[in-house]
Amino acid sequence: MSTQKSVLRSLAGETLPVPPIWIMRQAGRYLPEYKATRAKAGDFLSLCYNPNLAAEVTIQPICRYGFDAAILFADILLLPQALGADLSFVTGEGPRLSTITTADQLAALKPAHGVSDHLSPIYETIKILSKALPDETTLIGFAGAPWTVATYMIAGQGTPDQGPAHALKAENRIVFDGLIELITAGTIVYLSAQIDAGAEVIKLFDSWAGSLQGADFQRYSIEPMQHITAALKAAYPHVPIIAFPRGAGEKYVELHAAIGADCIALDDGVSAEWAAKNVQTGGCVQGNLASSHMVTGGDVLVSETRQIVDAFSDGPHIFNLGHGITPDADPENVQLMIDTVRGG
Ligand code: CP3
């Protein structure tokens, strides 16, 4: 029965003796089997749009480590592409997109209801995974939160300070708000179709939430995520939602209620002890071991892992990293972390 899955139990608010575990970017370049399948696909985007190979890399870390959740292999930048932006990934440099900074460029994008034509291979990947995953493994679908997706669509690439998005917000609020609204509506269409295909949990990645200050944090991080969550909850009340406003710091407090999410994912900028007192009181939390421990390993990895498990042990918790695992991580350190969480 699906309610027996440990991740779903934690998301429903249960305190489990051993927290379920998965990690962000668990299918990735630190794994030799990922690199082999990616080479077979040709490039990263071809891998994302090949349902059989995308399902294969999604399952690889489940086979190797027995994680409690599998996250769909795709990317937050597929939605901009479905909206009509040009997208490519330059090896070693990251994503490149055509930019949206004018009313004409915004008007040239496709309407939100049209995104699924382009994204249908992703739904196919989810259907394959729903059948192929072990019974105890929860399948997580995802999308970027509107602010984070907008930062890439406005700048045309990743930026250290999201400067171009902040500049458009200051200079042309009509275009900026129009873009946020389009991404929000497209994300609801995309995530609804992911759930229809078999995603059991949805995660929203607001990776650049930390650069929004004051009223902007409320308006452009919380409100769009709240809007998406409300729309999904109206149609799919049983599907739990994890929100990840990375870098929120002290603004992590009371976000379960503000967003309407079942779980708040924490980065490693806040201590587990602080988050247990100030965030976990609102519901399930996920996180938050620094991903650098997957590179350095050793006794420090073990003690930090234990400290996080202990700090969150009085409430619902899903163990994870504070951000994605990096390509230079040692796969054996991932095993050491899992053994520490499960074995004490
Ligand atoms: O977590 C998973 O295993 C699921 C798949 C997943 C990927 N990206 C695969 C990926 C998920 C959930 C994402 C989310 C994502 N993508 C975010 C939000 C989370 C975060 O890390 O903050 C963002 C900002 C992106 C955009 C993106 N995708 C960038 C900036 C890059 C380049 C940087 C990098 O790490 O190379 C990507 C590429 C990407 N997405 C890779 C993977 C496995 C590496 C591509 C490769 O194999 O060359």
Side-chain angles (χ1 to χ4, degrees):
M1 234 173 75
S2 67
T3 49
Q4 296 308 310
K5 296 187 184 193
S6 57
V7 168
L8 295 177
R9 288 173 63 185
S10 292
L11 289 169
E14 241 185 277
T15 304
L16 301 180
V18 175
I21 179 167
W22 68 279
I23 61 175
M24 288 184 267
R25 294 273 172 100
Q26 61 191 20
R29 288 161 292 181
Y30 71 107
L31 288 180
E33 58 268 36
Y34 169 82
K35 283 193 267 196
T37 309
R38 187 178 177 284
K40 222 190 318 172
D43 57 45
F44 174 65
L45 281 177
S46 306
L47 179 54
C48 289
Y49 288 115
N50 181 322
N52 287 315
L53 295 183
E56 184 178 304
V57 293
T58 305
I59 295 173
Q60 282 168 352
I62 310 306
C63 292
R64 184 189 268 255
Y65 297 116
F67 283 122
D68 297 295
I71 183 159
L72 163 71
F73 190 84
D75 197 86
I76 67 163
L77 300 178
L78 305 186
L79 180 79
Q81 196 179 29
L83 288 169
D86 293 330
L87 173 67
S88 60
F89 279 83
V90 183
T91 307
E93 289 183 35
R96 294 289 180 275
L97 297 94
S98 49
T99 58
I100 307 294
T101 55
T102 67
D104 286 349
Q105 288 165 340
L106 177 63
L109 291 174
K110 292 181 190 141
H113 64 77
V115 297
S116 283
D117 291 344
H118 181 89
L119 295 166
S120 56
I122 311 306
Y123 311 145
E124 202 48 50
T125 305
I126 294 176
K127 285 183 193 158
I128 295 169
L129 287 167
S130 297
K131 294 203 191 90
L133 284 170
D135 288 346
E136 64 276 15
T137 313
T138 300
L139 177 56
I140 303 175
F142 73 92
W147 159 249
T148 289
V149 173
T151 65
Y152 288 95
M153 292 184 80
I154 294 164
Q157 60 185 53
T159 47
D161 57 358
Q162 298 73 59
H166 285 289
L168 185 68
K169 172 160 59 64
E171 286 154 19
N172 195 337
R173 195 57 79 105
I174 293 178
V175 170
F176 182 80
D177 283 355
L179 182 60
I180 293 281
E181 276 163 35
L182 178 64
I183 296 167
T184 302
T187 302
I188 293 167
V189 174
Y190 181 35
L191 292 177
S192 300
Q194 288 189 27
I195 295 169
D196 290 339
E200 299 173 284
V201 172
I202 291 298
K203 179 164 179 187
L204 291 169
F205 286 89
D206 211 353
S207 302
W208 298 119
S211 81
L212 289 167
Q213 301 305 323
D216 277 353
F217 180 75
Q218 169 68 30
R219 181 153 173 205
Y220 295 116
S221 180
I222 295 185
E223 282 175 24
M225 284 201 279
Q226 193 275 333
H227 193 131
I228 293 165
T229 300
L232 294 178
K233 290 281 178 191
Y236 308 95
H238 60 285
V239 175
I241 295 173
I242 304 170
F244 182 38
R246 189 170 75 93
E250 62 194 24
K251 299 192 290 294
Y252 267 121
V253 177
E254 290 178 12
L255 285 189
H256 287 91
I259 297 170
D262 302 270
C263 176
I264 297 295
L266 303 159
D267 63 85
D268 53 282
V270 293
S271 79
E273 291 76 15
W274 177 87
K277 283 197 197 84
N278 293 288
V279 190
Q280 199 184 25
T281 42
C284 185
V285 290
Q286 180 179 279
N288 67 340
L289 182 70
S291 50
S292 56
H293 292 297
M294 298 301 99
V295 181
T296 51
D299 292 347
V300 185
L301 182 165
V302 172
S303 60
E304 294 281 321
T305 299
R306 284 201 182 123
Q307 197 179 330
I308 290 168
V309 171
D310 287 349
F312 290 127
S313 61
D314 289 337
H317 175 219
I318 297 168
F319 194 91
N320 205 306
L321 299 176
H323 200 193
I325 187 167
T326 51
D328 54 347
D330 181 343
E332 289 189 14
N333 288 335
V334 177
Q335 189 63 59
L336 180 60
M337 170 184 65
I338 295 169
D339 291 346
T340 306
V341 171
R342 293 191 173 150

